[in-house]
Amino acid sequence: MNRPFRERHSFLIIATLFLLIALYFFSSKDIFGIPLFVYIVLFGIDVLYVNVSGLKKSISAKDWPISEAVLINGEAIYRNYSDNSKKWFLQIEYEYSVSGQIFKNENYNWVGVASTSKEKIENILKELRSAPTFPVRFNPDSNDISVVSPTISSISFIGMTVSLGVILVGFLGLLGYFEVFDLLEYIPL
């Protein structure tokens, strides 16, 4: 599957943002002000687009057709992070058929399942293993996209809120650059 530009080059996109910020603060604000603030606005718009698209996909997936799937592999994976947080993750692989064509996928929901409780993950696996098949919803326009539990994640709403804040910062930066509006004037220091 061909991933979108933003997924293939996310490191470069974010690195460019930090480079423009550094150039703005440590070089010439006159030269790098407009590119920085325009880039921030465009970055915010793109993040908003990604989150709204994800939300729309989550909502529409509830109405997708259903196929029966067979669990190929499923396990609870334990990860210990450098900040001493420990989590269990659900990792599954299933197979389903649409119009005689077989597809494989790994989506339980759109953002993954993680928990500090191994029991929670094992209960999901137990439920999936309890019957020979389980229902999955597949995209009628692209049958290789499917999900077991098409839930709407709060991550989309958080992402939309953050992206609106980023867009606002970009616009305020542009207004400040052109001396139309000075935010610092309204902040008591």
Side-chain angles (χ1 to χ4, degrees), residues 47-180:
V47 172
L48 181 64
Y49 171 78
V50 167
N51 283 283
V52 169
S53 298
L55 182 62
K56 286 172 64 176
K57 180 171 80 170
S58 296
I59 291 169
S60 70
K62 291 181 178 283
D63 296 325
W64 287 352
I66 296 174
S67 180
E68 290 299 312
V70 175
L71 186 66
I72 296 171
N73 187 19
E75 59 186 314
I77 307 267
Y78 180 75
R79 293 195 184 124
N80 189 4
Y81 293 97
S82 59
D83 65 352
N84 290 330
S85 63
K86 301 166 185 168
K87 289 197 175 180
W88 290 92
F89 291 87
L90 175 67
Q91 185 172 335
I92 62 170
E93 182 180 17
Y94 56 86
E95 192 174 80
Y96 61 101
S97 173
V98 177
S99 302
Q101 190 173 2
I102 296 175
F103 298 95
K104 288 183 181 181
N105 213 324
E106 300 173 348
N107 293 327
Y108 181 77
N109 62 24
W110 297 120
V111 294
V113 178
S115 175
T116 55
S117 164
K118 182 179 182 181
E119 183 179 352
K120 178 182 175 182
I121 303 299
E122 287 180 339
N123 285 340
I124 294 171
L125 284 169
K126 184 177 178 183
E127 182 182 326
L128 292 174
R129 290 178 178 140
S130 66
T133 63
F134 55 90
V136 295
R137 296 195 177 269
F138 65 92
N139 186 337
D141 299 325
S142 183
N143 297 337
D144 60 330
I145 299 173
S146 65
V147 65
V148 176
S149 178
T151 56
I152 296 173
S153 171
S154 60
I155 298 289
S156 294
F157 297 107
I158 293 168
M160 286 187 286
T161 303
V162 168
S163 63
L164 290 172
V166 168
I167 293 168
L168 181 63
V169 165
F171 275 122
L172 291 176
L174 280 171
L175 292 174
Y177 181 82
F178 291 114
E179 298 177 355
V180 174

